[in-house]
């Protein structure tokens, strides 16, 4: 229950920050409407926000992994990428995790799989992984930065990105590990064909 309150508090704080940023106006520099901005920062595109959809380009990030390494999404171009958002307290999330080592074994270097833990304490996540013998890549998203790029109404939440960098499929919820293994194989095979 403590984790639920922590997650809700983080979501509320994030929403307040976004509301404050949206309300903040850039001072008028005297430029005429439609004239070129004074600096490059003013013309930089806004960071992506809102839910992702099939056909959207991926949203890049670099995340710290539970094993101490890092994962940068843009470095995975040319591979199928499976991003799975999960938590240790989520029964369906935990239920599908055994499918992931099987997928990595089957597809090897053609698949980049990343299980993004949703805002749990790093040590608790590492203990869970050790207890269950999981060695696949797990991102520690303690502050919710990656989750903010791929927002969802629930977990488990999986985003499958094709070798072309375009979101090919989105899965909310999960069945058993065997069911999800077969489902993901069908999707991945289609992207690799």
């Amino acid at each position: 229950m403590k984790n639920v309150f922590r997650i809700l508090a983080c979501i509320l704080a994030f929403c307040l920050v976004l509301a404050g940023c949206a309300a903040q106006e850039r001072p008028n520099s005297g430029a005429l409407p439609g004239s070129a901005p004074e600096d490059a920062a003013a013309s930089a595109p806004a960071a992506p926000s809102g839910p992702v959809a099939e056909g959207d380009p991926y949203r890049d990030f670099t995340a710290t992994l539970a094993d101490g390494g890092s994962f940068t999404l843009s470095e995975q171009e040319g591979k199928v990428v499976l991003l799975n958002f999960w938590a240790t307290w989520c029964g369906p999330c935990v239920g599908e995790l055994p499918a992931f080592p099987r997928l990595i074994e089957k597809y090897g270097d053609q698949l980049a799989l990343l299980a993004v833990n949703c805002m749990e304490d790093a040590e608790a996540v590492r203990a869970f992984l050790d207890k269950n013998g999981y060695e696949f890549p797990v991102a520690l998203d303690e502050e919710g930065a990656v989750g903010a790029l791929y927002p969802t109404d629930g977990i488990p939440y999986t985003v499958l990105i094709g070798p072309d960098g375009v979101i090919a499929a989105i899965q909310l919820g999960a069945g058993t590990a065997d069911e999800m293994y077969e489902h993901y194989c069908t999707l991945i095979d289609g992207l690799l064909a």
Side-chain angles (χ1 to χ4, degrees), residues 76-91:
Q76 312 309 316
E77 286 188 20
K79 300 179 183 182
V80 172
V81 178
L82 189 150
L83 297 178
N84 176 266
F85 295 84
W86 70 287
T88 62
W89 49 263
C90 168

Side-chain angles (χ1 to χ4, degrees), residues 87-140:
T88 62
W89 49 263
C90 168
C93 299
V94 172
E96 80 170 322
L97 291 179
F100 297 161
R102 293 171 59 195
L103 290 169
I104 292 169
E105 182 178 337
K106 178 175 180 172
Y107 293 103
D109 290 339
Q110 294 178 299
L111 175 68
L113 186 145
L114 181 66
V116 181
N117 180 267
C118 298
M119 299 173 54
E120 292 186 276
D121 176 72
E123 289 309 311
V125 174
R126 287 187 187 103
F128 172 86
L129 297 173
D130 289 344
K131 176 182 172 188
N132 291 284
Y134 291 133
E135 296 180 357
F136 51 82
V138 174
L140 301 172

Side-chain angles (χ1 to χ4, degrees), residues 13-193:
F14 182 72
C15 290
L16 291 173
V17 167
L18 286 178
C21 291
Q24 194 175 36
E25 289 186 30
R26 188 176 180 93
N28 186 342
S29 62
L32 298 173
S35 65
E38 288 185 26
D39 59 29
S43 63
S49 64
V52 295
E54 292 178 13
D56 287 352
Y58 70 85
R59 296 176 181 177
D60 199 21
F61 63 85
T62 297
T64 300
L65 300 178
D67 68 4
S70 66
F71 178 99
T72 300
L73 185 54
S74 58
E75 292 176 358
Q76 312 309 316
E77 286 188 20
K79 300 179 183 182
V80 172
V81 178
L82 189 150
L83 297 178
N84 176 266
F85 295 84
W86 70 287
T88 62
W89 49 263
C90 168
C93 299
V94 172
E96 80 170 322
L97 291 179
F100 297 161
R102 293 171 59 195
L103 290 169
I104 292 169
E105 182 178 337
K106 178 175 180 172
Y107 293 103
D109 290 339
Q110 294 178 299
L111 175 68
L113 186 145
L114 181 66
V116 181
N117 180 267
C118 298
M119 299 173 54
E120 292 186 276
D121 176 72
E123 289 309 311
V125 174
R126 287 187 187 103
F128 172 86
L129 297 173
D130 289 344
K131 176 182 172 188
N132 291 284
Y134 291 133
E135 296 180 357
F136 51 82
V138 174
L140 301 172
D141 193 25
E142 288 183 277
E143 303 301 320
V146 178
L149 291 172
Y150 294 87
T152 179
D153 292 332
I155 55 174
Y157 176 65
T158 303
V159 177
L160 199 65
I161 302 167
D164 59 357
V166 174
I167 295 172
I170 296 172
Q171 171 73 38
L172 180 59
T176 67
D178 288 340
E179 291 168 340
M180 298 314 296
Y181 174 78
E182 292 300 326
H183 176 67
Y184 293 138
C185 284
T186 300
L187 295 172
I188 293 167
D189 288 345
L191 291 169
L192 292 175

